Amino acid sequence: MDGKMLARLGAVVFVAVAITATAIEMTRKERTPEPDPVRLVDPVRDPLRDGQRRCQQLGQAAASDPDCMRVWAETRDRFLGRPAAPASPPAEGR
């Protein structure tokens, strides 16, 4: 076999392999990933949030409401990362 014939044979084999690979790739079905199941979480009822809503509805009157003052202080402490203040001052002399 001379060099030209060998080159042509190599080219034909290369084209045949390329066509076969293309045909295989085109017939392959793409698997779509299954979506993760959605988890529905019931929100935890936060009494502080309910107090904030109540104070919001009071409007200007909330500035003199002792419960709103307590709610705002607790909200501020939670935001700043401070420990919650005790509900009543500790008894002295014990």
Side-chain angles (χ1 to χ4, degrees):
M1 261 199 219
D2 63 339
K4 267 185 161 176
M5 187 63 151
L6 193 57
R8 284 183 187 169
L9 183 61
V12 169
V13 170
F14 176 77
V15 170
V17 169
I19 290 173
T20 304
T22 303
I24 290 172
E25 188 64 31
M26 289 177 68
T27 59
R28 184 179 297 174
K29 298 213 176 182
E30 192 77 24
R31 291 185 63 195
T32 58
E34 294 180 18
D36 293 336
V38 177
R39 296 182 199 169
L40 297 177
V41 178
D42 292 332
V44 177
R45 198 91 173 135
D46 187 6
L48 183 62
R49 186 103 165 135
D50 292 338
Q52 291 170 340
R53 294 270 189 234
R54 187 185 71 79
C55 293
Q56 181 183 22
Q57 291 170 350
L58 285 177
Q60 190 66 29
S64 60
D65 186 44
D67 286 335
C68 288
M69 299 300 273
R70 180 192 55 76
V71 166
W72 289 333
E74 192 174 334
T75 301
R76 183 178 54 248
D77 289 343
R78 183 186 288 185
F79 177 77
L80 296 174
R82 298 182 198 159
S88 61
E92 294 182 25
R94 283 190 177 183

